[in-house]
């Protein structure tokens, strides 16, 4: 394959991994994260360091399954290829909804993901992901695991 065509295909595949991550989170298809991360991946998600896919899935599922809804959007992707490795970064906006939460039902987070990606026999996977918050809006109590809406 022509190197320019291969580079475009790789970039497209990497961006698809970033989108697949969002769909897995919002549909609660956490097993699909095995198609996003390497088994020994490392991620910094919020204030939590996650070492390995099991820890990553645990962190994400514990945060999202208690919500009524979430929507994660990513854009402004930048991919830099280096053979079978690549760096990827993108901006994100995530909305989190928990109806009946005192102080408001919505918490929004905007930030960026910075990834180290590797090509595997099964396609591109995230080896390392760092989530950095840029701003938040709304009621952070929506995401507080020990706060439940009052009935």
């Amino acid at each position: 394959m022509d190197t320019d065509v291969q580079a475009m295909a790789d970039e497209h595949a990497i961006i698809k991994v970033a989108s697949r991550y969002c769909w897995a989170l919002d549909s609660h298809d956490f097993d699909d994260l095995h198609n996003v991360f390497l088994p020994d991946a490392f991620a910094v998600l919020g204030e939590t360091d996650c070492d390995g896919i099991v820890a990553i899935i645990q962190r994400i599922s514990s945060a999202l399954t208690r919500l009524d809804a979430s929507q994660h959007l990513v854009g402004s992707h930048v991919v830099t290829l280096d053979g079978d490795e690549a760096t990827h970064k993108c901006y994100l906006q995530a909305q989190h909804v928990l109806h009946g939460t005192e102080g408001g039902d919505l918490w929004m987070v905007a930030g960026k993901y910075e990834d180290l990606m590797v090509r595997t026999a099964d396609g591109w996977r995230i080896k390392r992901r760092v989530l950095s918050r840029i701003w938040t809006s709304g009621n952070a109590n929506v995401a507080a695991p020990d706060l439940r809406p009052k009935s």
Side-chain angles (χ1 to χ4, degrees):
M1 184 181 299
D2 178 275
T3 56
D4 289 340
V5 173
Q6 182 63 54
M8 287 189 303
D10 286 337
E11 184 173 335
H12 178 73
I14 288 168
I15 292 170
K16 279 182 66 176
V17 169
S19 296
R20 184 175 207 149
Y21 173 83
C22 296
W23 281 94
L25 269 55
D26 296 332
S27 66
H28 294 185
D29 185 4
F30 304 115
D31 284 339
D32 196 31
L33 293 174
H34 290 278
N35 296 311
V36 173
F37 291 96
L38 290 173
D40 62 347
F42 181 82
V44 179
L45 303 173
E47 303 299 318
T48 306
D49 290 355
C50 303
D51 195 4
I53 185 68
V54 172
I56 292 168
I57 290 172
Q58 174 60 35
R59 167 69 175 100
I60 291 168
S61 65
S62 68
L64 296 179
T65 55
R66 59 179 297 285
L67 299 176
D68 291 315
S70 67
Q71 185 180 51
H72 291 73
L73 304 172
V74 290
S76 300
H77 299 270
V78 176
V79 176
T80 304
L81 298 165
D82 185 13
D84 289 337
E85 289 191 346
T87 58
H88 165 259
K89 59 185 176 181
C90 63
Y91 289 119
L92 76 112
Q93 286 193 5
Q95 299 183 62
H96 307 87
V97 178
L98 184 61
H99 298 296
T101 304
E102 189 173 327
D105 298 346
L106 176 66
W107 186 49
M108 289 186 62
V109 176
K112 61 184 176 178
Y113 291 121
E114 294 179 272
D115 303 322
L116 174 61
M117 310 280 295
V118 296
R119 184 193 320 266
T120 73
D122 296 320
W124 287 93
R125 298 290 186 266
I126 298 172
K127 180 176 183 170
R128 185 184 70 241
R129 166 162 276 191
V130 176
L131 162 62
S132 301
R133 287 186 193 153
I134 297 173
W135 58 263
T136 64
S137 179
N139 183 6
N141 290 335
V142 167
D146 56 342
L147 296 177
R148 301 282 179 193
K150 296 184 180 181
S151 305

